[in-house]
Amino acid sequence: MTYRIRTMNAISPIGLAQLPRDTFDLGTDIPEPEGILVRSADLHAAPVPESVLAVARAGAGTNNIPVADLAARGVPVFNTPGANANAVKELVLAGMLLAARNIVQAADYAKHLDGDDAAVSAAVEKGKKQFAGFELPGRTLGVIGLGAIGVQVANSARALGLRVLGYDPSMSVERAWQLSADVEQASSVEEVFARADLLTVHVPLVESTRHLVNAERIGTMKPAPVILNFARGGIVDDEAVLAALDDGRLHAYVCDFPTVALLGHPKVVALPHLGASTAEAEENCAVMAADQLRDYLLDGTIRNSVNFPEVVLPRSAGTTRLGIFNRNVPNMVGQITGVLAEAGLNVADLLNKSHGDCAYTLVDVDGEMPDAVRQQVAGIDGVIRVRQL
């Protein structure tokens, strides 16, 4: 079988090379695609074709994808956590230094000096005091969100001599192993705000994180802290930040999400969404997204899906595989295996996992599977989609 893959936005050729042309047909105008590879294109703008079996986002955020709607159709949405982590980490570290030493404002001052060398030299000596900053060692960096990016930021900040206070109630075991033992764990978001000299957020933008940085929490911070946001714009209440900058509560705000109001403020450093804008990050994201899409379409494997659980089951020789999406309710596996048993099919291997209201089952049966059996499984109340692989 040849799978049709629609590419939206420019996807790195190195990533596309993960999809061999003898099995995958790629293009920007592919009709009735089974898979979509996307970066920033808005999939909310038009209905996702019914032919689509999976969507892979070459990046971490999935705000541009109707994740819940696709889950209801049994369509996994993949992202690429960690693929751009180093690129974002480097920008966060740069942002801390820009803010601490007032580098952008100082550079702008120097850029607009005029006169001969003697006049410029005199103006430099006269004006430099207004840009005096502070050093990072010994200060406390608060990190909210200890995923792939947050962990790298925390570890690198420790290497720069900062004390680091992290908070993430959903931190994975894998990230916990990666986190430096010197990073202190906070008991709440409020504790991070209260103790941080610099604060950086690394969480997705969902309803519970919208305006996570707000006027009330900024009001609990130490005098003249720095806030950095290289996650998503809506996580920070821009109006609250601007008010705090105006009354001296904040020293600086550094972000990757410019708005008209932010661009007009002298204490704001707003960058044009450069977080993952490196050749290396784009290649890493494209390769990871393509690998996940390929493995799902060929073997039913799910890795790094935002709407379905991770399910990885090695294939057994001489078996037929079913990939079954269903509601996360009791006795689904029992009903599925019951249908297979009634058909005289032996289950060689099976793995079932859940994610919220959704569940996914991979089951390998010995020999061939009659299409009528697949249809019977698909007819079980609560089954959303069945794929035979």
Side-chain angles (χ1 to χ4, degrees):
M1 176 179 179
T2 298
Y3 289 98
R4 299 179 300 275
I5 309 298
R6 182 180 295 171
T7 57
M8 305 179 71
N9 310 115
I11 305 296
S12 166
I14 294 177
L16 297 180
Q18 305 301 110
L19 301 169
R21 297 305 185 268
D22 60 347
T23 309
F24 297 92
D25 186 13
L26 310 175
T28 58
D29 55 357
I30 294 289
E32 298 185 350
E34 281 86 24
I36 291 178
L37 268 172
V38 63
R39 290 174 61 194
S40 58
D42 186 5
L43 270 62
H44 296 279
V48 176
E50 289 297 323
S51 59
V52 169
L53 300 175
V55 175
R57 158 83 161 99
T62 55
N63 306 63
N64 58 319
I65 301 170
V67 173
D69 291 345
L70 293 176
R73 288 166 45 181
V75 176
V77 175
F78 302 103
N79 68 345
T80 57
N84 61 6
N86 183 72
V88 179
K89 174 205 76 178
E90 289 183 351
L91 204 56
V92 173
L93 297 179
M96 288 194 292
L97 293 166
L98 291 175
R101 301 300 299 274
N102 303 307
I103 291 172
V104 172
Q105 295 86 347
D108 185 64
Y109 171 80
K111 182 178 179 179
H112 290 92
L113 295 176
D114 55 21
D116 58 19
D117 284 348
V120 168
S121 179
V124 165
E125 291 305 313
K126 181 180 179 180
K128 68 180 183 180
K129 290 183 180 179
Q130 64 184 298
F131 304 111
F134 61 86
E135 298 181 18
L136 298 179
R139 296 181 184 269
T140 297
L141 172 67
V143 182
I144 298 176
L146 293 168
I149 296 170
V151 166
Q152 288 203 26
V153 168
N155 290 348
S156 295
R158 281 295 302 133
L160 290 174
L162 287 113
R163 294 188 293 264
V164 180
L165 179 67
Y167 177 74
D168 190 335
S170 303
M171 187 179 187
S172 70
V173 173
E174 177 186 5
R175 300 304 175 206
W177 277 106
Q178 296 168 350
L179 187 65
S180 169
D182 293 333
V183 174
E184 185 181 351
Q185 297 290 303
S187 59
S188 66
V189 169
E190 284 68 29
E191 182 184 358
V192 179
F193 275 87
R195 294 177 56 187
D197 298 296
L198 305 96
L199 183 138
T200 180
V201 290
H202 299 286
V203 296
L205 176 59
V206 295
E207 204 51 45
S208 62
T209 62
R210 185 173 296 279
H211 289 181
L212 179 125
V213 180
N214 54 40
E216 181 179 357
R217 285 173 170 152
I218 292 172
T220 68
M221 298 184 77
K222 296 177 180 179
V226 172
I227 292 176
L228 304 105
N229 178 17
F230 290 89
R232 284 291 182 270
I235 293 168
V236 174
D237 182 345
D238 288 348
E239 290 186 8
V241 162
L242 289 170
L245 290 170
D246 286 339
D247 67 17
R249 283 288 308 156
L250 278 181
H251 172 76
Y253 177 50
V254 187
C255 74
D256 220 9
F257 313 100
T259 65
V260 172
L262 292 176
L263 290 173
H265 202 286
K267 295 182 180 179
V268 172
V269 177
L271 305 176
H273 206 176
L274 296 179
S277 293
T278 68
E280 295 87 347
E282 290 182 5
E283 290 174 1
N284 292 342
C285 287
V287 168
M288 191 171 178
D291 282 347
Q292 291 166 174
L293 184 61
R294 180 199 62 223
D295 291 349
Y296 172 72
L297 291 175
L298 296 182
D299 289 321
T301 297
I302 293 183
R303 291 187 180 90
N304 295 317
S305 171
V306 298
N307 56 356
F308 283 99
E310 180 161 313
V311 177
V312 180
L313 184 68
R315 297 197 74 160
S316 305
T319 61
T320 301
R321 169 165 288 187
L322 287 183
I324 305 162
F325 295 92
N326 57 268
R327 296 198 304 270
N328 184 22
V329 295
N331 198 36
M332 292 303 303
V333 172
Q335 292 183 76
I336 292 166
T337 55
V339 168
L340 299 176
E342 288 178 7
L345 296 172
N346 181 59
V347 174
D349 209 348
L350 182 149
L351 182 60
N352 168 269
K353 289 189 178 181
S354 62
H355 176 91
D357 295 332
C358 301
Y360 181 60
T361 303
L362 282 180
V363 55
D364 292 341
V365 299
D366 289 328
E368 300 293 327
M369 177 178 296
D371 189 59
V373 177
R374 182 192 62 78
Q375 293 180 15
Q376 192 175 353
V377 171
I380 296 172
D381 184 32
V383 169
I384 300 167
R385 182 193 289 269
V386 177
R387 294 183 63 219
Q388 185 166 327
L389 301 157

